[in-house]
Structure formats: C-alpha cells, structure tokens
Amino acid sequence: MNTPATSNRRASALTRERIIEAAVGLLDESGEAGLTFRALAQRLETGAGAIYWHIDDKRDLVLAACDLFVGPAVRAPADDAPDVRIRAIAIGLFDAMETHPWMGAALAVAAGELPLVRILEALGQQVRALAVDEADQWSTTQALMSYILGVGGQHAARSQLARQQNLQRTRALNEVAQAWAELDADVYPFTRSMALQLPNHDDRADFMAGVDLILNGIAQRIG
C-alpha cells in the first residue's frame, strides 16, 4: 500500500531524465501511439501530475526522446576530414532511426526544434569546412539533411511496420520481387530488371551510396 511518505519519495526521485528513459521504452515497444501520460505514469509508478512538473506535453517528450539519440549521432570525430564526418553523422542517424523507428516520423515534423537544429549545425559545419561557397551552404546542407532524414525516415517507417505486422524481411522482399518480375516488360523494364537484386540488397549500404553521390556532387562543384 502506498503511503503519503512513499508517494513523496517517488515524486522527489522523479527526474526529467527518468521520464525520458521510460518514454523511450514505451516508444520502442509501441510507437508514438503507445506513448500516453497514463501509460508513462503507470511505468514510473507515479501520477500524471508529477510528470507534468518536468514535461510540458507529449510533443516535448517525444522531441526530448529524439534528442537523446541525435546528440551522440552527430558528434563525429573532430580529427576526421569533413566528408568523413558527414558520412559518420549520416550513418549514426540512420542507425539511430533503425533502432528507434518512431524517430523518423518525429524528426520529419520537428522543424526549428532542438534535435533538428543539432543535425543542421553538425552538417552545416562540415559543409562549411568543405569550402562550399557561402551562397550555396544552406542549399547544400538542406540537400544532405533532406536525404538523410527522408531516406532514413522511410527505412524506419518500413522497419516499424514490419515489426508491428511481424513480417520477415527476406520473405517480404521475395514477394515484392516476384510481383515485379511479373510486371509488363514494355511498361516497367527497369523495375523488372531490379527484381533479382531486390531480395539481397542492403538498406544501409544503399543509404550510404546515396550520401556518397551527394558528396561527390559537392566535390565536383567546389573542385
């Protein structure tokens, strides 16, 4: 039985960090739909009111959860070349979104919020270090951000759907490949030709190939 003293001890032990960690657990288990203040209060064995002392609302909580993983992902080694740092940031974010698929959708609507600003700053510093013309730094950084968050977010969404529906990746890809192989060869020649490659493709390698294409384009432009 909870006594007033027990409740007070739990409330005093409650911190923003503990709340965010518990929220990550719920998000990983059930996605953003599963994160409610009622579920969070039950997990923390406290009342919703105590949580509101530390968290403004659900959006604040989800963004804080994102920031927990964005921060480490964008801290590339300082002694590496700018293009190497950009690759490290890109793969760090991809891996974070793959492990925590709810991040993709959250970052897609986080315009101007801290997690997105961290990514913007990290990439922008490297774009500047590449000696990109000042007039092109914004568009270049935006191109990198859009690709990383867009493709990474799409992969995260597919991963989350697969988990929710208990789909096996190999089996699902084989089924898509079979459907592609049966398309009209005159209307879909390229898609049919990719049917054999689809089941064995590596999402992570494909993602990084796209990053390299952008970096090669930057190098050609400044060269």
PDB file of all heavy atoms in Angstrom, residues 23 48 74 77 93 104 116 119 121 126 131-132 135 148 165 167 175 179 205-206 213:
ATOM      1  N   ALA A  23       9.887   6.931 -21.397  1.00  0.00           N
ATOM      2  CA  ALA A  23       9.171   7.224 -22.642  1.00  0.00           C
ATOM      3  C   ALA A  23       9.796   6.484 -23.819  1.00  0.00           C
ATOM      4  O   ALA A  23       9.082   5.963 -24.683  1.00  0.00           O
ATOM      5  CB  ALA A  23       9.175   8.728 -22.905  1.00  0.00           C
ATOM      6  N   ALA A  48       0.227  11.318 -13.156  1.00  0.00           N
ATOM      7  CA  ALA A  48       0.493  12.139 -14.337  1.00  0.00           C
ATOM      8  C   ALA A  48       0.884  13.559 -13.945  1.00  0.00           C
ATOM      9  O   ALA A  48       1.698  14.200 -14.615  1.00  0.00           O
ATOM     10  CB  ALA A  48      -0.736  12.154 -15.250  1.00  0.00           C
ATOM     11  N   VAL A  74      25.411  12.858 -33.951  1.00  0.00           N
ATOM     12  CA  VAL A  74      26.011  13.944 -34.730  1.00  0.00           C
ATOM     13  C   VAL A  74      27.390  14.351 -34.217  1.00  0.00           C
ATOM     14  O   VAL A  74      28.010  15.252 -34.787  1.00  0.00           O
ATOM     15  CB  VAL A  74      25.091  15.183 -34.769  1.00  0.00           C
ATOM     16  CG1 VAL A  74      23.749  14.833 -35.392  1.00  0.00           C
ATOM     17  CG2 VAL A  74      24.889  15.787 -33.380  1.00  0.00           C
ATOM     18  N   PRO A  77      34.004  12.378 -35.016  1.00  0.00           N
ATOM     19  CA  PRO A  77      35.376  12.661 -34.561  1.00  0.00           C
ATOM     20  C   PRO A  77      35.921  13.946 -35.173  1.00  0.00           C
ATOM     21  O   PRO A  77      35.866  14.144 -36.391  1.00  0.00           O
ATOM     22  CB  PRO A  77      36.165  11.440 -35.056  1.00  0.00           C
ATOM     23  CG  PRO A  77      35.146  10.349 -35.140  1.00  0.00           C
ATOM     24  CD  PRO A  77      33.877  11.023 -35.573  1.00  0.00           C
ATOM     25  N   LEU A  93      22.814   8.663 -37.667  1.00  0.00           N
ATOM     26  CA  LEU A  93      21.381   8.961 -37.650  1.00  0.00           C
ATOM     27  C   LEU A  93      20.568   7.807 -38.234  1.00  0.00           C
ATOM     28  O   LEU A  93      19.492   7.465 -37.733  1.00  0.00           O
ATOM     29  CB  LEU A  93      21.112  10.255 -38.419  1.00  0.00           C
ATOM     30  CG  LEU A  93      21.607  11.531 -37.728  1.00  0.00           C
ATOM     31  CD1 LEU A  93      21.543  12.719 -38.680  1.00  0.00           C
ATOM     32  CD2 LEU A  93      20.782  11.822 -36.467  1.00  0.00           C
ATOM     33  N   GLY A 104      11.942   8.631 -36.974  1.00  0.00           N
ATOM     34  CA  GLY A 104      11.814   9.146 -38.333  1.00  0.00           C
ATOM     35  C   GLY A 104      10.646  10.093 -38.478  1.00  0.00           C
ATOM     36  O   GLY A 104      10.785  11.218 -38.973  1.00  0.00           O
ATOM     37  N   LEU A 116      16.494  18.824 -34.532  1.00  0.00           N
ATOM     38  CA  LEU A 116      16.765  19.175 -35.919  1.00  0.00           C
ATOM     39  C   LEU A 116      17.853  20.241 -36.014  1.00  0.00           C
ATOM     40  O   LEU A 116      18.670  20.218 -36.938  1.00  0.00           O
ATOM     41  CB  LEU A 116      15.479  19.665 -36.596  1.00  0.00           C
ATOM     42  CG  LEU A 116      15.289  19.226 -38.050  1.00  0.00           C
ATOM     43  CD1 LEU A 116      15.231  17.710 -38.141  1.00  0.00           C
ATOM     44  CD2 LEU A 116      14.028  19.821 -38.638  1.00  0.00           C
ATOM     45  N   ILE A 119      21.222  18.615 -35.852  1.00  0.00           N
ATOM     46  CA  ILE A 119      21.599  17.991 -37.122  1.00  0.00           C
ATOM     47  C   ILE A 119      22.025  19.057 -38.122  1.00  0.00           C
ATOM     48  O   ILE A 119      23.041  18.910 -38.812  1.00  0.00           O
ATOM     49  CB  ILE A 119      20.423  17.160 -37.676  1.00  0.00           C
ATOM     50  CG1 ILE A 119      20.060  16.032 -36.704  1.00  0.00           C
ATOM     51  CG2 ILE A 119      20.777  16.584 -39.052  1.00  0.00           C
ATOM     52  CD1 ILE A 119      18.764  15.316 -37.041  1.00  0.00           C
ATOM     53  N   GLU A 121      23.234  22.043 -37.524  1.00  0.00           N
ATOM     54  CA  GLU A 121      24.521  22.622 -37.138  1.00  0.00           C
ATOM     55  C   GLU A 121      25.678  21.662 -37.448  1.00  0.00           C
ATOM     56  O   GLU A 121      26.721  22.083 -37.975  1.00  0.00           O
ATOM     57  CB  GLU A 121      24.515  22.969 -35.643  1.00  0.00           C
ATOM     58  CG  GLU A 121      25.783  23.643 -35.144  1.00  0.00           C
ATOM     59  CD  GLU A 121      26.024  25.008 -35.776  1.00  0.00           C
ATOM     60  OE1 GLU A 121      25.039  25.680 -36.161  1.00  0.00           O
ATOM     61  OE2 GLU A 121      27.204  25.409 -35.875  1.00  0.00           O
ATOM     62  N   GLN A 126      30.275  21.003 -41.322  1.00  0.00           N
ATOM     63  CA  GLN A 126      31.097  20.199 -42.231  1.00  0.00           C
ATOM     64  C   GLN A 126      30.999  20.703 -43.667  1.00  0.00           C
ATOM     65  O   GLN A 126      31.986  20.678 -44.409  1.00  0.00           O
ATOM     66  CB  GLN A 126      30.699  18.719 -42.154  1.00  0.00           C
ATOM     67  CG  GLN A 126      30.705  18.127 -40.758  1.00  0.00           C
ATOM     68  CD  GLN A 126      31.896  18.552 -39.935  1.00  0.00           C
ATOM     69  OE1 GLN A 126      33.036  18.560 -40.418  1.00  0.00           O
ATOM     70  NE2 GLN A 126      31.649  18.941 -38.678  1.00  0.00           N
ATOM     71  N   ALA A 131      34.590  23.932 -47.781  1.00  0.00           N
ATOM     72  CA  ALA A 131      34.829  25.133 -48.596  1.00  0.00           C
ATOM     73  C   ALA A 131      33.752  25.335 -49.651  1.00  0.00           C
ATOM     74  O   ALA A 131      34.026  25.867 -50.736  1.00  0.00           O
ATOM     75  CB  ALA A 131      36.214  25.087 -49.250  1.00  0.00           C
ATOM     76  N   VAL A 132      32.530  24.918 -49.321  1.00  0.00           N
ATOM     77  CA  VAL A 132      31.394  25.222 -50.197  1.00  0.00           C
ATOM     78  C   VAL A 132      31.166  26.727 -50.177  1.00  0.00           C
ATOM     79  O   VAL A 132      31.249  27.366 -49.113  1.00  0.00           O
ATOM     80  CB  VAL A 132      30.122  24.473 -49.719  1.00  0.00           C
ATOM     81  CG1 VAL A 132      28.891  24.939 -50.486  1.00  0.00           C
ATOM     82  CG2 VAL A 132      30.320  22.971 -49.858  1.00  0.00           C
ATOM     83  N   ALA A 135      27.182  31.209 -50.505  1.00  0.00           N
ATOM     84  CA  ALA A 135      25.841  31.331 -51.079  1.00  0.00           C
ATOM     85  C   ALA A 135      25.175  29.965 -51.272  1.00  0.00           C
ATOM     86  O   ALA A 135      23.942  29.883 -51.381  1.00  0.00           O
ATOM     87  CB  ALA A 135      25.909  32.059 -52.422  1.00  0.00           C
ATOM     88  N   ILE A 148      19.183  12.455 -45.725  1.00  0.00           N
ATOM     89  CA  ILE A 148      19.425  11.630 -44.536  1.00  0.00           C
ATOM     90  C   ILE A 148      18.136  11.352 -43.774  1.00  0.00           C
ATOM     91  O   ILE A 148      17.828  10.201 -43.431  1.00  0.00           O
ATOM     92  CB  ILE A 148      20.464  12.302 -43.622  1.00  0.00           C
ATOM     93  CG1 ILE A 148      21.838  12.325 -44.307  1.00  0.00           C
ATOM     94  CG2 ILE A 148      20.550  11.588 -42.272  1.00  0.00           C
ATOM     95  CD1 ILE A 148      22.861  13.211 -43.615  1.00  0.00           C
ATOM     96  N   GLN A 165       3.646  -5.851 -37.867  1.00  0.00           N
ATOM     97  CA  GLN A 165       2.955  -6.927 -38.577  1.00  0.00           C
ATOM     98  C   GLN A 165       3.722  -8.244 -38.532  1.00  0.00           C
ATOM     99  O   GLN A 165       3.321  -9.222 -39.164  1.00  0.00           O
ATOM    100  CB  GLN A 165       2.708  -6.514 -40.033  1.00  0.00           C
ATOM    101  CG  GLN A 165       1.814  -5.292 -40.164  1.00  0.00           C
ATOM    102  CD  GLN A 165       1.515  -4.944 -41.611  1.00  0.00           C
ATOM    103  OE1 GLN A 165       2.008  -5.575 -42.547  1.00  0.00           O
ATOM    104  NE2 GLN A 165       0.674  -3.940 -41.813  1.00  0.00           N
ATOM    105  N   LEU A 167       6.531  -9.129 -39.845  1.00  0.00           N
ATOM    106  CA  LEU A 167       6.948  -9.532 -41.183  1.00  0.00           C
ATOM    107  C   LEU A 167       8.426  -9.891 -41.187  1.00  0.00           C
ATOM    108  O   LEU A 167       9.233  -9.222 -40.551  1.00  0.00           O
ATOM    109  CB  LEU A 167       6.711  -8.391 -42.180  1.00  0.00           C
ATOM    110  CG  LEU A 167       5.258  -7.950 -42.398  1.00  0.00           C
ATOM    111  CD1 LEU A 167       5.226  -6.734 -43.313  1.00  0.00           C
ATOM    112  CD2 LEU A 167       4.434  -9.086 -42.986  1.00  0.00           C
ATOM    113  N   GLU A 175       8.510 -11.607 -51.981  1.00  0.00           N
ATOM    114  CA  GLU A 175       7.155 -11.444 -52.508  1.00  0.00           C
ATOM    115  C   GLU A 175       7.066 -10.225 -53.418  1.00  0.00           C
ATOM    116  O   GLU A 175       6.429 -10.271 -54.479  1.00  0.00           O
ATOM    117  CB  GLU A 175       6.156 -11.321 -51.351  1.00  0.00           C
ATOM    118  CG  GLU A 175       5.955 -12.620 -50.584  1.00  0.00           C
ATOM    119  CD  GLU A 175       5.033 -12.462 -49.399  1.00  0.00           C
ATOM    120  OE1 GLU A 175       4.621 -11.295 -49.107  1.00  0.00           O
ATOM    121  OE2 GLU A 175       4.704 -13.481 -48.753  1.00  0.00           O
ATOM    122  N   ALA A 179       6.405 -10.089 -57.556  1.00  0.00           N
ATOM    123  CA  ALA A 179       5.400  -9.223 -58.185  1.00  0.00           C
ATOM    124  C   ALA A 179       6.038  -8.353 -59.264  1.00  0.00           C
ATOM    125  O   ALA A 179       5.451  -8.142 -60.340  1.00  0.00           O
ATOM    126  CB  ALA A 179       4.733  -8.359 -57.117  1.00  0.00           C
ATOM    127  N   ALA A 205      23.796  -0.066 -46.917  1.00  0.00           N
ATOM    128  CA  ALA A 205      24.745   0.224 -47.986  1.00  0.00           C
ATOM    129  C   ALA A 205      24.119   1.120 -49.046  1.00  0.00           C
ATOM    130  O   ALA A 205      24.776   2.034 -49.569  1.00  0.00           O
ATOM    131  CB  ALA A 205      25.228  -1.085 -48.616  1.00  0.00           C
ATOM    132  N   ASP A 206      22.849   0.870 -49.374  1.00  0.00           N
ATOM    133  CA  ASP A 206      22.149   1.717 -50.345  1.00  0.00           C
ATOM    134  C   ASP A 206      22.064   3.154 -49.845  1.00  0.00           C
ATOM    135  O   ASP A 206      22.259   4.111 -50.599  1.00  0.00           O
ATOM    136  CB  ASP A 206      20.733   1.184 -50.606  1.00  0.00           C
ATOM    137  CG  ASP A 206      20.732  -0.113 -51.391  1.00  0.00           C
ATOM    138  OD1 ASP A 206      21.798  -0.488 -51.924  1.00  0.00           O
ATOM    139  OD2 ASP A 206      19.664  -0.753 -51.462  1.00  0.00           O
ATOM    140  N   LEU A 213      26.904   9.846 -53.308  1.00  0.00           N
ATOM    141  CA  LEU A 213      26.530  10.548 -54.540  1.00  0.00           C
ATOM    142  C   LEU A 213      26.434  12.056 -54.292  1.00  0.00           C
ATOM    143  O   LEU A 213      26.901  12.864 -55.101  1.00  0.00           O
ATOM    144  CB  LEU A 213      25.191  10.017 -55.066  1.00  0.00           C
ATOM    145  CG  LEU A 213      25.237   8.676 -55.798  1.00  0.00           C
ATOM    146  CD1 LEU A 213      23.813   8.181 -56.065  1.00  0.00           C
ATOM    147  CD2 LEU A 213      25.996   8.807 -57.109  1.00  0.00           C
TER     148      LEU A 213
END
